[in-house]
Amino acid sequence: MLNLEQLAAFVSVVELGSFTAAADRAGVTQPAVSLQIKLLEQRLGVRLIERAGRRAQPSPAGAELLPHARRIIGECAATLEAMAPYKDGAAGRVRIGSGGTASIHLLPRAIAAAKKRMSGLEITVKIGNTDEILRDIEANALDLAVVTLPASGRSLEVEPFYEDELLAVAPRGSDMPEGGPDAAFLQQKVMMLYDGGNTRETTDGWFADAGLKAEPVMEFGSVEAIKELVAAGLGWSILPSLALRRDRAGYLATSPVKPRLVRQLGIVMRRDKHLTRGLREVVKCLREFKA
């Protein structure tokens, strides 16, 4: 019989290209991983891993074994999941990574919908920047990510699922140009912009398309902080409409900008991710989300 831990060690070494990285993922020592690979090679009677410079890669036999090993590991995970409810009543766990705005204004409703369908589902959420979240997805430290696109990675599957319009935001009572403010109009205002990843790149690109450069007097990593400052009359901003659905009792004036500005939110998972029932329910609820 094949040993599941040995197969898992082999898959990790191939995916990460390193015995050390595979050991870090599994939380064991590098010699322990090396021993697992050696025992598996002895069991099968073939060499499975070769070195190309500093990178470990599968031999021809290893490349042949890889899809079988992944399938075996996936089926074992599915078996354990199927038995878990009978063992202790737990229905599963989903680990989600996301940015700040989606975690506040989108995920709670999607999570509530998923737990309504599957009451025993355990869901954890990690907040971080897009690069950090995607690294955790690739390392299988998270099951699913909700991030502002673009997002890419050789082992990742990306699905756009929600279009979020970016709006001009001003203190209550501010005069908005008919049809919405353009880049030239906003450049003349005291601007406070979100200092964060793809959303900021989208905003900067909108100004650049008009031949202008955004010149914010203040930059923040929190959309909620910017909303409070705008409400206090300290300036204007451009923020995701998702974060403006529940305005502070009308303390903000909002308007689409001209031309229209949107960002895409996407669901990101590993291509080889085993879709447990809990994970399927969360993905379904995200796809059904309407602000």
Side-chain angles (χ1 to χ4, degrees):
M1 297 291 291
L2 294 175
N3 182 288
L4 188 61
E5 290 184 356
Q6 294 170 8
L7 289 173
F10 165 71
V11 170
S12 288
V13 170
V14 172
E15 290 181 344
L16 300 175
S18 164
F19 282 74
T20 301
D24 290 339
R25 173 189 282 184
V28 299
T29 64
Q30 187 269 334
V33 172
S34 297
L35 178 60
Q36 296 280 27
I37 301 300
K38 181 179 179 181
L39 292 173
L40 182 59
E41 289 177 334
Q42 290 175 349
R43 174 69 180 83
L44 296 174
V46 294
R47 187 172 183 82
L48 298 173
I49 300 293
E50 298 174 340
R51 289 197 174 275
R54 295 184 177 181
R55 186 171 181 84
Q57 64 181 25
S59 67
E64 182 72 17
L65 172 64
L66 186 60
H68 298 286
R70 283 174 170 157
R71 186 163 57 252
I72 291 168
I73 292 168
E75 288 297 325
C76 287
T79 301
L80 291 174
E81 182 197 4
M83 294 298 102
Y86 297 93
K87 178 182 177 183
D88 54 18
R93 180 185 68 166
V94 176
R95 303 164 297 173
I96 304 174
S98 179
T101 301
S103 69
I104 296 172
H105 300 284
L106 188 155
L107 282 180
R109 287 167 55 187
I111 289 172
K115 289 182 71 67
K116 186 175 182 179
R117 298 175 180 179
M118 194 173 174
S119 59
L121 182 61
E122 175 190 347
I123 297 178
T124 61
V125 179
K126 175 180 178 179
I127 310 302
N129 61 52
T130 297
D131 290 342
E132 176 188 2
I133 294 298
L134 294 183
R135 283 196 297 269
D136 284 345
I137 291 289
E138 290 185 317
N140 209 33
L142 291 171
D143 302 307
L144 175 149
V146 175
V147 297
T148 303
L149 302 182
S152 62
R154 287 183 300 176
S155 64
L156 302 180
E157 182 173 325
V158 181
E159 176 189 339
F161 77 100
Y162 184 77
E163 185 179 271
D164 189 18
E165 186 170 10
L166 297 176
L167 303 177
V169 185
R172 181 176 58 184
S174 300
D175 291 328
M176 290 284 186
E178 185 175 351
D182 59 14
F185 178 89
L186 289 174
Q187 193 191 39
Q188 298 171 15
K189 298 295 182 180
V190 175
M191 293 292 294
M192 297 175 292
L193 293 181
Y194 177 58
D195 182 22
N198 291 339
T199 301
R200 177 57 183 274
E201 289 182 10
T202 300
T203 303
D204 288 342
W206 182 78
F207 276 100
D209 288 344
L212 300 171
K213 182 179 179 181
E215 297 179 352
V217 295
M218 288 186 279
E219 301 177 67
F220 295 86
S222 167
V223 169
E224 298 305 307
I226 296 175
K227 287 167 58 178
E228 294 295 323
L229 291 167
V230 173
L234 298 180
W236 290 48
S237 190
I238 298 176
L239 297 176
S241 61
L242 191 62
L244 301 167
R245 299 292 177 179
R246 294 189 295 273
D247 177 14
R248 296 173 62 255
Y251 285 103
L252 299 173
T254 64
S255 168
V257 296
K258 186 172 62 177
R260 187 169 179 260
L261 180 60
V262 299
R263 65 172 188 168
Q264 287 282 346
L265 298 183
I267 299 168
V268 183
M269 292 185 291
R270 286 178 59 97
R271 295 184 186 278
D272 59 356
K273 188 67 182 178
H274 171 65
L275 293 178
T276 64
R277 180 191 167 196
L279 191 52
R280 290 195 302 270
E281 292 291 356
V282 171
V283 170
K284 184 177 181 180
C285 290
L286 287 170
R287 289 170 177 163
E288 294 172 352
F289 178 83
K290 291 181 175 59

